[in-house]
């Protein structure tokens, strides 16, 4: 799926050579990679792979890029032209979370740096192929809950307005880093965890839009959409530059577990593959770069900072979220054999359950490692293409692959066990 990407950081001393990483990526459905710089060895290794690549200019490079068009031209000449188009560079990210950097001078220098790089791309006749943007943290929003109230911080108005104008005029995306993990850390109720992890939950009602949100990712993305719409940028595309969940943490880092990381990233990937979109942007999936490809063992800070990797340096999976290409088996920790105890029968959705709730159940079930390829486009059970049909398939398969306890067919009381094969006139279960 072309909208699933991954962040490839290098603050580590144990990473495999770029050529091995390129081979690993080609064995997965990851279609895009975000780099924090423009490492020539990595760019060469990704040549000819067809993988879209985001490269980055660091915060420290912004002042010279802003002050001197020749510096921007040299940056493009060094970091883009030797590799493009055999390496499919699609975006240059200028700086990372500049407005949260603590450097009071950078925000005013950001747009001139972006403009100079864009001019250099124009001179090379590739400005229509490679876009220029900058990555923001969620802190640029002054209001985000409920999603319909999403708005940028008032203090950023003078800087943000021309920046958004540049993105709109060049057809470039607004790139941002939403992390439901941090939202959960500030509200550790069980229902909040379920909402963050794409697990069955009661949802959260947005009185402004009359929409019930079933997961935190959609809520955060739609808050960004509301903020952009309110700022007059209704046509600006959103790209998720980073999102993820740590699988390990220090004693005080609540929620940083393998189970939660697998639930979040697995649920996210399933949600993106469903193409259901968000309530404010239905029917399509935003480009999303999961953090991260590998752990970065030299990163400072708490243990969680070094515990986001989907893959180990030897190429095996830290935990399986279904990224291996069809026919290839991901290698990871051994899973316990499925028990066959518990009541037989079929797990089906209860009548009257909303599509939003069924979609949440679908995302959860498919995020737990079951094979949902038959209900993806082109799959044997894709038709009828309805949320109810796809959810019935996924919920029943999840139950059949589990220990078959009644709780495995609960889905927040939206599912029930029936003794015989359900009528295909009412349910579509395969």
């Amino acid at each position: 799926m072309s909208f699933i990407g991954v962040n490839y950081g290098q603050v580590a001393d144990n990473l495999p050579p770029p050529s091995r990483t390129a081979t690993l990526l080609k064995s997965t459905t990851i279609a895009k990679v975000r780099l924090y710089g423009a490492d020539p060895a990595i760019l060469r290794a990704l040549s000819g792979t067809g993988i879209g690549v985001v490269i980055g200019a660091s915060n420290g490079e912004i002042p010279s890029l802003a002050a001197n068009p020749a510096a921007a031209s040299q940056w493009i000449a060094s970091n883009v032209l030797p590799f493009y188009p055999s390496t499919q560079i699609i975006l240059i990210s200028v700086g990372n979370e500049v407005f949260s950097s603590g450097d009071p001078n950078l925000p005013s220098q950001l747009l001139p740096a972006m403009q100079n790089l864009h001019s250099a791309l124009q001179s090379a006749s590739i400005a229509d192929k490679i876009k220029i943007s900058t990555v923001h943290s969620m802190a640029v929003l002054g209001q985000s809950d409920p999603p319909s109230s999403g708005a940028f911080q008032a203090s950023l108005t003078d800087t943000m307005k021309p920046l958004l104008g540049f993105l709109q005029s060049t057809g470039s995306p607004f790139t941002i880093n939403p992390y439901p993990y941090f939202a959960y850390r500030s509200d550790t109720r069980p229902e909040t965890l379920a909402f963050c992890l794409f697990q069955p939950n009661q949802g959260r009602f947005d009185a402004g839009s009359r929409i019930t949100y079933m997961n935190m990712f959609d809520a955060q993305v739609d808050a960004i959409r509301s903020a952009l719409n309110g700022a007059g940028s209704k046509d600006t595309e959103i790209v998720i530059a980073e999102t993820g969940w740590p699988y390990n943490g220090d004693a005080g880092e609540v929620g940083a577990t393998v189970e939660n990381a697998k639930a979040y990233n697995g649920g996210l990937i399933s949600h993106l593959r469903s193409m259901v979109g968000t309530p404010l942007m239905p029917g399509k999936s935003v480009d999303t770069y999961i953090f991260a490809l590998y752990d970065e063992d030299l990163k400072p800070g708490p243990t969680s900072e070094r515990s986001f990797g989907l893959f180990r340096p030897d190429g095996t999976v830290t935990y399986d979220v279904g990224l291996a290409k069809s026919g290839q088996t991901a290698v990871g920790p051994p899973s316990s054999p499925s028990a066959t105890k518990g009541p037989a029968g079929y797990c089906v959705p209860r009548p009257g359950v909303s599509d939003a709730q069924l979609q949440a159940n679908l995302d959860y079930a498919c995020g737990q490692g079951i094979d949902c390829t038959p209900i993806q486009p082109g799959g044997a059970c894709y038709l009828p293409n309805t949320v109810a049909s796809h959810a019935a398939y996924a919920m029943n398969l999840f139950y059949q692959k589990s220990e078959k306890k009644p709780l495995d067919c609960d889905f927040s009381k939206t599912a029930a066990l029936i003794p015989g094969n359900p009528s295909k006139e009412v349910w579509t279960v395969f």
Side-chain angles (χ1 to χ4, degrees):
M1 299 288 183
S2 62
F3 38 79
I4 296 175
V6 71
N7 286 268
Y8 182 1
Q10 295 173 268
V11 188
D13 61 3
N14 61 350
L15 299 185
S19 58
R20 272 186 38 210
T21 296
T23 300
L24 170 65
L25 289 169
K26 287 191 290 184
S27 75
T28 73
T29 54
I30 295 168
K32 297 178 180 178
V33 171
R34 177 186 170 215
L35 308 178
Y36 290 85
D39 186 296
I42 296 176
L43 292 175
R44 281 193 292 269
L46 293 172
S47 173
T49 61
I51 294 170
V53 183
V54 178
I55 60 175
S58 69
N59 288 3
E61 293 176 290
I62 289 174
S64 65
L65 293 172
N68 188 355
S73 295
Q74 182 56 50
W75 198 95
I76 296 297
S78 299
N79 297 304
V80 175
L81 299 184
F83 312 103
Y84 184 84
S86 57
T87 299
Q88 197 175 319
I89 299 169
I90 55 175
L91 181 70
I92 299 170
S93 171
V94 185
N96 190 44
E97 301 188 350
V98 165
F99 295 114
S100 311
S101 68
D103 185 331
N105 298 313
L106 281 187
S108 63
Q109 297 171 317
L110 179 58
L111 181 56
M114 294 168 68
Q115 290 170 326
N116 284 342
L117 285 169
H118 178 68
S119 296
L121 290 175
Q122 285 181 313
S123 297
S125 301
I126 50 175
D128 59 330
K129 302 287 195 302
I130 301 174
K131 302 302 180 181
I132 305 280
S133 191
T134 184
V135 175
H136 302 283
S137 78
M138 287 292 285
V140 296
L141 298 187
Q143 182 75 29
S144 61
D145 186 28
S148 63
S149 70
F152 292 111
Q153 285 198 41
S155 62
L156 297 179
T157 300
D158 291 345
T159 313
M160 189 64 76
K161 186 172 182 180
L163 181 61
L164 293 177
F166 170 83
L167 298 180
Q168 197 150 3
S169 67
T170 59
S172 300
F174 183 85
T175 53
I176 193 161
N177 299 340
Y179 276 90
Y181 168 66
F182 294 120
Y184 169 63
R185 284 185 59 179
S186 63
D187 175 9
T188 58
R189 293 175 296 163
E191 56 266 36
T192 301
L193 184 62
F195 187 65
C196 288
L197 295 183
F198 297 91
Q199 291 175 338
N201 66 92
Q202 297 304 307
R204 295 186 177 182
F205 181 67
D206 182 339
S209 62
R210 312 296 296 173
I211 291 167
T212 297
Y213 282 85
M214 301 308 300
N215 66 78
M216 181 68 79
F217 179 81
D218 280 357
Q220 290 186 326
V221 172
D222 274 0
I224 300 160
R225 181 75 272 160
S226 294
L228 287 169
N229 292 353
S233 293
K234 292 184 178 181
D235 298 328
T236 299
E237 177 192 358
I238 295 170
V239 166
I240 305 306
E242 279 182 30
T243 190
W245 197 286
Y247 65 83
N248 192 19
D250 296 324
E253 294 191 283
V254 62
T257 68
V258 171
E259 294 76 19
N260 288 348
K262 179 176 179 177
Y264 178 72
N265 285 321
L268 172 65
I269 290 165
S270 171
H271 188 55
L272 294 170
R273 284 174 172 163
S274 75
M275 297 293 285
V276 69
T278 73
L280 295 187
M281 296 182 290
K284 62 176 182 174
S285 292
V286 295
D287 281 7
T288 300
Y289 294 78
I290 298 172
F291 188 86
L293 183 59
Y294 301 117
D295 288 342
E296 295 176 83
D297 66 336
L298 299 182
K299 268 195 163 183
T303 297
S304 61
E305 286 292 315
R306 298 177 292 282
S307 306
F308 277 87
L310 296 173
F311 294 89
R312 303 186 187 96
D314 65 1
T316 59
V317 296
T318 310
Y319 50 88
D320 188 8
V321 288
L323 285 173
K325 280 185 177 167
S326 196
Q328 301 189 33
T329 303
V331 181
S335 55
S336 56
S338 296
T340 56
K341 296 179 180 178
Y346 292 80
C347 180
V348 299
R350 293 181 184 273
V353 178
S354 69
D355 276 2
Q357 180 69 65
L358 289 174
Q359 183 65 48
N361 295 350
L362 171 61
D363 294 339
Y364 170 69
C366 291
Q368 298 307 298
I370 62 172
D371 182 11
C372 287
T373 52
I375 53 173
Q376 290 165 15
C381 302
Y382 179 65
L383 298 175
N385 178 21
T386 65
V387 173
S389 172
H390 293 174
Y393 175 95
M395 292 161 68
N396 183 56
L397 183 59
F398 173 78
Y399 173 73
Q400 302 299 337
K401 295 289 186 182
S402 70
E403 295 182 2
K404 296 187 178 177
K405 296 175 181 174
L407 193 61
D408 296 324
C409 181
D410 180 78
F411 291 91
S412 294
K413 307 196 184 313
T414 63
L417 280 170
I418 60 171
N421 195 343
S423 166
K424 291 190 177 184
E425 295 177 8
V426 181
W427 309 107
T428 307
V429 177
F430 302 91

